[in-house]
């Protein structure tokens, strides 16, 4: 009789140890959360599709526009995709983003439509972007347009 109760205690002790270790690991994760990676610029979210995956219906293009000289964000830059009706303006942090149908190549046009209101008149730029490049955030630097107007 003594051996059965002793064996039952050992089994019960092992079960409680397993539960205890699980609870401690959950408490540690609740206190500290999931730690972000050490490397700067780590991307979160869905990874780019791998070769052989089914094609997507739409994709996103996002980025940030800033002044080349001061590195300050530029508000109100008109960002459009040529040959489509898609356009967006940069927000107060200089960010823009699109959800657009998938194409092989995109022509992005950056133009300052509000003149000197946002810190100066910036030169217009056109960028060609391939479909595989749409999965990273674009960083666009715009130069001030210092050429005098010809009249």
């Amino acid at each position: 009789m003594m051996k059965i109760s002793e064996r039952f205690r050992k089994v019960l002790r092992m079960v409680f140890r397993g539960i205890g270790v699980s609870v401690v690991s959950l408490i540690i994760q609740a206190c500290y959360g999931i730690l972000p990676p050490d490397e700067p610029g780590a991307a979160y979210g869905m990874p780019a599709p791998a070769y052989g995956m089914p094609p997507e219906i739409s994709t996103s293009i996002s980025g940030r526009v800033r002044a080349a000289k001061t590195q300050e964000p530029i508000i109100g830059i008109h960002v459009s995709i040529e040959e489509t009706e898609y356009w967006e303006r940069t927000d107060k942090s200089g960010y823009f983003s699109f959800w657009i149908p998938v194409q092989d190549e995109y022509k992005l046009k950056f133009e300052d439509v509000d003149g000197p209101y946002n810190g100066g008149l910036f030169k217009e730029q056109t960028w060609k972007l391939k479909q595989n490049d749409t999965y990273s955030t674009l960083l666009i630097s715009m130069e001030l347009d210092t050429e005098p107007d010809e009249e």
Side-chain angles (χ1 to χ4, degrees):
M1 187 71 176
M2 191 67 159
K3 289 191 176 200
I4 293 174
S5 65
E6 183 96 12
R7 200 177 284 171
F8 181 71
R9 281 186 191 173
K10 285 183 179 182
V11 170
L12 203 55
R13 188 179 302 147
M14 293 297 287
V15 169
F16 284 136
R17 277 186 188 164
I19 292 172
V21 168
S22 299
V23 168
V24 167
S25 65
L26 290 174
I27 289 172
I28 289 174
Q29 182 179 0
C31 291
Y32 295 107
I34 298 173
L35 298 176
D38 291 335
E39 63 217 35
Y44 294 95
M46 293 294 292
Y51 177 76
M53 291 183 70
E56 295 179 17
I57 297 172
S58 64
T59 187
S60 67
I61 296 177
S62 61
R64 185 173 187 205
V65 179
R66 62 184 184 175
K69 189 173 184 179
T70 63
Q71 302 300 314
E72 293 293 320
I74 307 172
I75 186 173
I77 295 295
H78 187 265
V79 183
S80 61
I81 300 176
E82 291 184 358
E83 301 173 3
T84 68
E85 70 276 1
Y86 296 100
W87 65 274
E88 189 74 36
R89 292 222 181 174
T90 57
D91 63 9
K92 65 181 179 180
S93 300
Y95 287 102
F96 67 91
S97 66
F98 294 101
W99 275 102
I100 56 172
V102 173
Q103 299 176 4
D104 291 334
E105 186 175 277
Y106 305 94
K107 280 188 180 181
L108 276 75
K109 187 175 185 180
F110 302 91
E111 53 189 331
D112 188 359
V113 293
D114 60 3
Y117 173 72
N118 54 15
L121 184 63
F122 293 92
K123 292 181 183 177
E124 186 177 299
Q125 292 184 18
T126 303
W127 284 38
K128 286 186 180 179
L129 189 66
K130 300 263 187 215
Q131 171 59 35
N132 291 339
D133 298 331
T134 62
Y135 298 103
S136 26
T137 302
L138 303 173
L139 184 58
I140 292 89
S141 294
M142 295 188 77
E143 299 279 339
L144 282 172
D145 191 5
T146 57
E147 297 178 9
D149 292 336
E150 295 180 22
E151 295 183 26

